Amino acid sequence: MGGSSCGPGAHLIHLWPPQFAFSDHHLGNLGPHSGPALVRTRCSCHALALAWTFSYLLFFRALSLLGLPTPTPFTNAVQLLLTLKLVSLASEVQDLHLAQRKEIASGFHKEPTLGLLPEVPSLMETLSYSYCYVGIMTGPFFRYRTYLDWLEQPFPEAVPSLRPLLRRAWPAPLFGLLFLLSSHLFPLEAVREDAFYARPLPTRLFYMIPVFFAFRMRFYVAWIAAECGCIAAGFGAYPVAAKARAGGGPTLQCPPPSSPEIAASLEYDYETIRNIDCYGTDFCVRVRDGMRYWNMTVQWWLAQYIYKSAPFRSYVLRSAWTMLLSAYWHGLHPGYYLSFMTIPLCLAAEGYLESALRRHLSPGGQKAWDWVHWFLKMRAYDYMCMGFVLLSMADTLRYWASIYFWVHFLALACLGLGLVLGGGSPSKRKTPSQATSSQAKEKLREE
């Protein structure tokens, strides 16, 4: 069940599933490759690939307006992943060219940089990576370097997969049952009916909680299953010593084992393809931490390729830019934009108010603060989820209006109070106490 070292012929095998799954639409998925293929040897290819693939997304979603067949949901899922992969690959190629230029300028050979590609991939290699059967319809996102490491795994039989798979899969049946139960008892369609708005305010307020609960359970099952597919193929396995990050891969240089015995003695993990931290999503305290634990490989991509290159210096404005492009990547439904663009307001509110008040509280007061903060964070995500699932502007605004836009008004009030009390601008840096708390939670999850 481990990975395998594959020669050029294996690239053709990796291409076959999408061709049968998408019939007439698979040629449309090849569109994004034409842009990056033309610029993959240029140092500006990252920006060009981002512009091309995001422009192609608009064309792809407007096919029905042009009288062409509407893409299936499966085809759309592949298109979303292709966008991430090709932008990432262009960035990896750009990094390779910059490293080669520095090496030429310095006049001496340097040790390979962590995660650097050995050479620019050919068009066939690019297609093979793009349509690799691992995660083709469900994700998670992975870099070309991760894909290459899987193909060139020297001793794939030494990579464990059965035990990690069972360890990862065990909560999925429970989450599946909870999804079926919650979606049956609290159907989303009820929110679209006029009778729903005749119910008392407490009922309308409460209803978003089980809707978001069902939403989480559904994605927990889907992403755990997707991770298990990767684990079964031995995909994304690295030694624990490499300290791999979701989406990005190893953060420390770890030389490949020289013998099967050494390979078998290493401890491996699959953090590179980890897409969901269920515990962190449900029990982290802050809104921005909740983003970090949800759809983790895509969050890494957004941070690496959108947030870092945003045309702003402010954390909140950079986050707004990132959320805007994330909404566009998800689709054109207004509900996506209403939901995603509420996140920067919540980030600003919690950041300013926390910096103004929390540090002045006693340890007991800080604990109470964190419990209240956690409760409000969950309610904010309940509220934003309604836009994500209702999709239309009319349905989303109708529901939010029925509960008096309370999250928006509360966030504005907290932001105003934080500013009045002299709170500082939120940043991505953690305080020592928050870092210690995160480490303790991670240790608890591992145990």
Side-chain angles (χ1 to χ4, degrees):
M1 294 175 69
S4 59
S5 298
C6 303
H11 291 292
L12 295 176
I13 298 175
H14 292 171
L15 286 171
W16 74 266
Q19 310 306 320
F20 291 97
F22 311 120
S23 62
D24 294 340
H25 296 290
H26 72 268
L27 291 176
N29 284 124
L30 294 175
H33 294 83
S34 56
L38 294 174
V39 300
R40 69 180 192 274
T41 59
R42 297 184 50 154
C43 285
S44 59
C45 60
H46 164 244
L48 291 171
L50 183 64
W52 174 261
T53 53
F54 269 56
S55 298
Y56 186 82
L57 272 180
L58 182 61
F59 164 75
F60 182 79
R61 286 162 178 161
L63 289 177
S64 59
L65 300 178
L66 301 175
L68 298 172
T70 302
T72 67
F74 293 115
T75 315
N76 183 63
V78 172
Q79 189 62 49
L80 293 179
L81 288 167
L82 281 179
T83 301
L84 304 183
K85 287 180 175 181
L86 292 175
V87 172
S88 175
L89 176 57
S91 180
E92 291 182 86
V93 169
Q94 179 173 311
D95 290 342
L96 174 61
H97 284 304
L98 291 174
Q100 290 173 339
R101 286 187 175 186
K102 288 181 180 179
E103 187 176 310
I104 293 172
S106 63
F108 61 91
H109 179 72
K110 296 182 180 180
E111 289 295 320
T113 306
L114 178 66
L116 199 65
L117 299 183
E119 60 184 5
V120 177
S122 66
L123 181 59
M124 177 56 75
E125 289 168 333
T126 300
L127 289 170
S128 300
Y129 160 63
S130 301
Y131 292 100
C132 176
Y133 67 89
V134 177
I136 182 65
M137 299 184 197
T138 58
F141 158 77
F142 50 85
R143 301 167 66 215
Y144 184 80
R145 178 75 256 184
T146 303
Y147 168 73
L148 201 60
D149 289 342
W150 176 60
L151 294 182
E152 297 176 350
Q153 174 66 251
F155 305 105
E157 65 281 353
V159 177
S161 56
L162 180 58
R163 283 190 177 181
L165 188 152
L166 295 176
R167 190 163 57 242
R168 188 60 179 136
W170 76 264
L174 173 61
F175 293 151
L177 288 173
L178 291 173
F179 162 69
L180 293 173
L181 181 63
S182 56
S183 60
H184 174 72
L185 295 176
F186 303 94
L188 175 64
E189 287 305 312
V191 183
R192 294 190 171 97
E193 298 173 357
D194 293 338
F196 176 84
Y197 297 95
R199 298 181 184 183
L201 176 61
T203 303
R204 300 197 302 270
L205 275 170
F206 170 78
Y207 207 86
M208 65 183 185
I209 298 175
V211 167
F212 183 46
F213 179 82
F215 180 83
R216 295 201 311 278
M217 295 304 109
R218 177 162 61 97
F219 276 95
Y220 287 174
V221 172
W223 283 333
I224 288 174
E227 289 180 37
C228 287
C230 293
I231 295 171
F235 191 99
Y238 288 99
V240 171
K243 295 189 180 297
R245 291 182 59 189
T251 59
L252 295 177
Q253 196 74 261
C254 193
S258 57
S259 68
E261 292 75 22
I262 295 176
S265 68
L266 295 174
E267 185 181 357
Y268 295 86
D269 65 34
Y270 287 87
E271 287 299 309
T272 300
I273 50 86
R274 189 178 188 184
N275 210 35
I276 186 67
D277 183 335
C278 305
Y279 179 92
T281 298
D282 280 10
F283 296 106
C284 68
V285 172
R286 297 181 297 175
V287 170
R288 66 180 181 182
D289 291 334
M291 293 165 54
R292 189 175 296 123
Y293 295 126
W294 177 268
N295 205 358
M296 295 165 69
T297 58
V298 174
Q299 293 300 331
W300 180 89
W301 186 93
L302 288 169
Q304 193 73 17
Y305 304 119
I306 304 299
Y307 178 88
K308 289 184 178 180
S309 60
F312 308 101
R313 297 185 64 183
S314 161
Y315 168 67
V316 173
L317 291 179
R318 282 187 167 203
S319 298
W321 173 255
T322 305
M323 291 300 100
L324 177 63
L325 293 188
S326 178
Y328 175 76
W329 177 76
H330 278 85
L332 300 179
H333 295 290
Y336 293 151
Y337 298 85
L338 292 171
S339 295
F340 277 108
M341 297 313 292
T342 303
I343 290 177
L345 175 61
C346 294
L347 292 174
E350 73 174 5
Y352 277 97
L353 194 59
E354 186 176 46
S355 65
L357 291 178
R358 188 183 184 277
R359 60 191 175 92
H360 299 298
L361 301 176
S362 65
Q366 290 185 358
K367 266 189 183 177
W369 174 282
D370 289 343
W371 275 108
V372 173
H373 195 166
W374 168 80
F375 178 82
L376 293 176
K377 180 265 299 186
M378 292 303 295
R379 302 296 73 81
Y381 276 122
D382 295 337
Y383 181 88
M384 289 183 282
C385 175
M386 297 305 291
F388 201 90
V389 296
L390 290 172
L391 298 179
S392 76
M393 180 178 291
D395 288 339
T396 301
L397 293 180
R398 186 185 188 190
Y399 176 76
W400 283 355
S402 77
I403 55 175
Y404 302 103
F405 296 95
W406 75 271
V407 167
H408 284 98
F409 284 118
L410 179 62
L412 287 171
C414 291
L415 175 60
L417 181 60
L419 289 170
V420 169
L421 295 176
S425 176
S427 68
K428 296 200 74 175
R429 290 193 294 271
K430 294 182 179 179
T431 64
S433 62
Q434 290 165 345
T436 303
S437 174
S438 297
Q439 291 170 2
K441 289 176 183 175
E442 184 63 32
K443 185 176 180 182
L444 180 63
R445 285 195 293 272
E446 290 173 357
E447 292 171 353

